[in-house]
Amino acid sequence: MSYKHVGTAGDLVRFGCSLKVECTHCGAARTLTGPEVYSVNGNRQFAQLASRLKCRRCCKKEAKLTVLSPV
């Protein structure tokens, strides 16, 4: 199964994947499920989500998004 087409919260739910959000400045990381991503970003593309996320630790807006395969 290919995960290269996962680009929205709906895709995360459909494929059972998670989204890892990592701060490129301080290295803090968090894993979000599809419903958590939907509550923050709706069903828009992840490119729009990355610019909205702010790190809780260092307060920078430098997020790196990675789709994780299902467990």
Side-chain angles (χ1 to χ4, degrees):
M1 179 183 274
S2 173
Y3 301 108
K4 68 180 181 177
H5 297 294
V6 176
T8 64
D11 294 338
L12 288 175
V13 173
R14 182 179 309 116
F15 293 115
C17 300
S18 299
L19 184 69
K20 180 179 178 184
V21 181
E22 185 175 5
C23 177
T24 58
H25 186 260
C26 71
R30 180 174 180 187
T31 302
L32 301 172
T33 62
E36 291 173 330
V37 173
Y38 185 83
S39 69
V40 173
N41 195 45
N43 206 31
R44 294 185 296 257
Q45 293 292 318
F46 293 149
Q48 296 172 344
L49 174 65
S51 64
R52 296 183 63 209
L53 296 175
K54 183 169 82 171
C55 181
R56 288 183 177 181
R57 188 186 299 170
C58 68
C59 297
K60 299 282 185 183
K61 286 190 172 186
E62 299 177 14
K64 175 186 172 192
L65 305 177
T66 306
V67 176
L68 302 176
S69 61
V71 177

